[in-house]
Amino acid sequence: MNSNKTALILTSTIDPKGIKFLERTNIQNRYDDYKKAFIFWINNKLINNIIFIENSGYDLTFFKKKALESKKNIEVITCKINNDFDRSYGKGYGEYLSLKKIFETSKIAENNDYFIKVTGRHIIKNFNQIYKDIFQDDNEIYLNLKNNLKLADSTIFGGSKLFFTKYLIHETSKTNDSKNIFFEHGTASAALKAITNGLQFSQIKVYADIEGYIGTN
């Protein structure tokens, strides 16, 4: 693993447009969440490559301006892929579509080998400790499996490009919140299949100290 070939993925949906099973739906509140977190991440000294994707087509002038002001390698991707699918699939399906979009179009994704995915509205106050733990373990999958290996915490996790492209995107494509098939189920399934095929796994030892709001309650 090479820290210089590592990218942070920040996923965002500013205007959820009636997504089911979502409680934090006020657009201004969500916009403010993302702005605050984005400033935190671009100021982190350990991260040099950042992919920020917003999937509802919201105006990203603020984020683009901050990216240009930064000396870091930052992509701000705007798209509307969250607007057209059945709302009952839930926010996790939009998350899957965002990751799929990133690995189809992002130059940063193309040029890096390892990725740390974080919910874009959240600040991880002890991120530096987690980051160091990732590189000490030299793993291909770094996440928190729980509920008897049936779920994975999706707030923050890491993995190689192979894990994201061959396993994670495929398994999370099955997300359907109305059928209780959550993004977290797909993430856990992806990890287990990858481990079976020989990818090196590390259970998160440093639990995230999160500043922010959960979207679902």
Side-chain angles (χ1 to χ4, degrees), residues 8-177:
L8 177 71
I9 294 174
L10 300 173
T11 54
S12 67
T13 306
I14 296 173
D15 182 358
K17 290 182 169 58
I19 284 284
K20 299 293 184 183
F21 316 111
L22 190 67
E23 292 296 326
R24 193 166 179 81
T25 57
N26 181 277
I27 295 172
Q28 188 61 52
N29 287 343
R30 294 177 66 86
Y31 183 59
D32 291 342
D33 291 344
Y34 288 120
K35 285 168 62 178
K36 182 179 179 180
F38 191 70
I39 295 299
F40 171 84
W41 291 113
I42 64 175
N43 287 331
N44 184 279
K45 294 181 180 179
L46 295 179
I47 290 293
N48 292 311
N49 304 300
I50 299 174
I51 304 166
F52 177 89
I53 184 167
E54 202 287 324
N55 63 10
S56 71
Y58 200 85
D59 180 11
L60 298 183
T61 299
F62 170 85
F63 302 92
K64 292 176 181 178
K65 181 176 182 290
K66 291 299 180 183
L68 287 173
E69 291 172 355
S70 173
K71 295 181 180 179
K72 298 187 176 186
N73 186 23
I74 302 174
E75 279 182 348
V76 176
I77 300 173
T78 181
C79 58
K80 297 181 180 180
I81 54 178
N82 199 64
N83 300 347
D84 299 327
F85 63 83
D86 187 331
R87 303 289 86 185
S88 68
Y89 281 24
K91 64 184 179 64
Y93 192 80
E95 194 90 339
Y96 144 70
L97 289 174
S98 290
L99 293 176
K100 183 172 181 287
K101 179 76 170 179
I102 285 171
F103 285 95
E104 287 174 346
T105 64
S106 167
K107 289 296 182 183
I108 291 180
E110 180 181 340
N111 294 323
N112 284 272
D113 301 324
Y114 196 90
F115 301 88
I116 302 170
K117 186 268 174 190
V118 176
T119 301
R121 294 186 303 106
H122 290 167
I123 290 169
I124 310 296
K125 294 193 288 186
N126 62 338
F127 175 77
N128 289 6
Q129 189 179 357
I130 294 171
Y131 185 89
K132 291 174 183 176
D133 190 45
I134 289 173
F135 286 94
Q136 284 175 353
D137 280 3
D138 193 24
N139 55 73
E140 293 175 275
I141 311 164
Y142 184 85
L143 52 75
N144 179 24
L145 285 172
K146 54 187 182 179
N147 287 49
N148 200 28
L149 308 182
K150 293 178 181 178
L151 294 170
D153 188 347
S154 63
T155 299
I156 179 170
F157 60 88
S160 65
K161 183 182 291 184
L162 177 63
F163 172 66
F164 274 80
T165 57
K166 184 175 180 180
Y167 299 96
L168 182 67
I169 290 173
H170 179 266
E171 291 302 309
T172 56
S173 70
K174 305 169 187 176
T175 300
N176 186 333
D177 287 7

